[in-house]
């Protein structure tokens, strides 16, 4: 059974940092493309960061230079380091794995406010 479980969200003041984790099980993480999306109320779901099995990384323009995606295949975990957070980063952050098919987690809420 495939599971993706996100954690690390919470409340942070503008300018602060958070580190999100996506713990996977049941997939070959080393062969998967992993993506982080976010969904804010009233807005379209946005792909913010991705990392392929070969290590190719891409970011949306809105987070480029502030967010860092990484993976630890031995731990089955993907990370999203979020720095210099802004109120507009407030959203539900969801992890997605692409391995044979798509698998989604349930997300972790990030709230940036003063």
């Amino acid at each position: 059974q495939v599971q993706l479980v996100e954690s690390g969200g919470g409340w942070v003041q503008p300018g602060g940092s958070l580190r999100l984790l996506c713990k996977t099980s049941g997939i070959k993480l080393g062969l998967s493309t992993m993506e982080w999306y976010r969904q804010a109320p009233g807005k379209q779901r946005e792909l913010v960061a991705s990392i392929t099995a070969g290590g190719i990384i891409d970011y949306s323009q809105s987070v480029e230079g502030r967010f860092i995606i990484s993976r630890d295949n031995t731990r089955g975990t993907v990370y999203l380091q979020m720095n210099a957070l802004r109120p507009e980063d407030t959203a539900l952050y969801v992890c997605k794995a692409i391995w044979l098919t798509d698998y989604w987690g349930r997300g972790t809420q990030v709230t940036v406010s003063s």
Side-chain angles (χ1 to χ4, degrees):
Q1 182 181 0
V2 176
Q3 281 191 315
L4 279 65
V5 180
E6 300 92 337
S7 62
W11 173 82
V12 64
Q13 291 186 331
S17 298
L18 284 174
R19 188 192 194 203
L20 305 185
L21 289 76
C22 174
K23 175 66 175 174
T24 72
S25 59
I27 64 169
K28 294 185 183 297
L29 183 59
L31 300 180
S32 305
T33 289
M34 300 300 297
E35 299 176 336
W36 281 100
Y37 287 80
R38 65 186 180 188
Q39 178 80 60
K43 294 186 178 180
Q44 278 193 321
R45 185 171 59 193
E46 178 188 11
L47 172 62
V48 297
S50 63
I51 181 168
T52 69
I56 297 173
I57 291 173
D58 196 21
Y59 299 100
S60 68
Q61 283 192 336
S62 61
V63 307
E64 180 86 50
R66 300 188 296 124
F67 289 12
I68 301 170
I69 187 171
S70 62
R71 63 197 297 161
D72 185 339
N73 294 337
T74 62
R75 295 179 184 271
T77 303
V78 178
Y79 305 92
L80 186 67
Q81 177 67 42
M82 307 188 297
N83 302 318
L85 283 162
R86 305 166 180 168
E88 53 264 39
D89 294 319
T90 295
L92 180 70
Y93 284 72
V94 184
C95 177
K96 174 186 170 184
I98 305 172
W99 177 63
L100 304 180
T101 187
D102 295 350
Y103 299 96
W104 293 86
R106 294 192 173 187
T108 184
Q109 178 67 36
V110 172
T111 302
V112 185
S113 72
S114 54

